[in-house]
Amino acid sequence: MPIAKDKLERAVKQAPRDPAIHGLLAMLYLRLGQESRAEDEYRIALKLAPSDPDLLNNYAVFLCGAGRIDEGVSRFQEAARNALYRTPWVAYTNAGVCLRSANRDLEAEPLFGRALQARPDYLEALTQLVELQLNHNRASEGYARVTDFLKGSPATAELLLLGWRAARAQPNPVNAAQMGWRLQTEFPDSEQARQVAAASAGRN
């Protein structure tokens, strides 16, 4: 870290109008716990490149981490709407996660939906959405989301566990058994399979 700091501080003296260097410095200062200097560098970077979607997304992460939720969400959405941004679904998901961190689930939910519209196989957006639905006693919606997702995307241990949890919360023993069986068959050595086995043993 000290070597990186030294090199970046020398680089910014040589190229003070390079937004990428200021963006890297911002991330470095944040890692060093120097939040004020990090924000100064983000502001300089965005002044030099106000439409850079990666800078917008990174600054939004900083804002949300600082508890400045509305500012962060606004920046995430600005990045997502930028035609040059290659992964708008990430920015929408990040905005939703930011809102969830402030217990603003109703505002977060449509952002996860927009992420999945942009990329239907984006697992992080689906996971966040289904977790939200489970927390609000909407397990049947969560289960439907998981099963629809599985029709077009390969299963993962995390996804099958989510489906099992949603089925079990309804409760729907048949659907839960099917999800649990798939998990233990396809991912027998996973931590998720062990969780299902432990839960089943506890019931018996």
Side-chain angles (χ1 to χ4, degrees), residues 176-197:
Q178 289 175 338
M179 284 286 179
W181 178 83
R182 278 196 67 179
L183 177 54
Q184 293 176 311
T185 302
E186 296 176 32
F187 304 95
D189 298 323
S190 67
E191 173 59 30
Q192 291 80 6
R194 285 192 285 273
Q195 288 181 42
V196 170

Side-chain angles (χ1 to χ4, degrees), residues 149-162:
F149 192 91
L150 284 168
K151 291 174 185 175
S153 301
T156 67
E158 294 83 358
L159 185 57
L160 292 173
L161 179 65
L162 197 60

Side-chain angles (χ1 to χ4, degrees), residues 43-139:
R43 288 185 179 278
I44 294 169
L46 285 167
K47 187 175 182 180
L48 294 168
S51 299
D52 186 306
D54 292 307
L55 282 174
L56 286 167
N57 186 75
N58 291 343
Y59 184 42
V61 171
F62 167 81
L63 291 168
C64 287
R68 293 155 63 181
I69 305 301
D70 290 327
E71 291 179 76
V73 169
S74 177
R75 292 290 188 168
F76 279 131
Q77 291 182 309
E78 190 178 345
R81 290 192 296 265
N82 191 313
L84 298 176
Y85 196 37
R86 292 169 295 178
T87 56
W89 51 88
V90 173
Y92 283 128
T93 301
N94 287 344
V97 171
C98 185
L99 286 165
R100 286 197 72 195
S101 72
N103 298 314
R104 293 163 62 176
D105 284 4
L106 289 179
E107 296 170 74
E109 184 169 357
L111 290 168
F112 298 133
R114 293 188 73 173
L116 289 167
Q117 285 178 347
R119 181 164 180 172
D121 65 345
Y122 189 47
L123 184 57
E124 177 62 22
L126 177 80
T127 300
Q128 290 287 340
L129 179 56
V130 176
E131 290 279 4
L132 184 155
Q133 290 170 334
L134 286 173
N135 289 345
H136 290 271
N137 300 312
R138 292 158 55 196

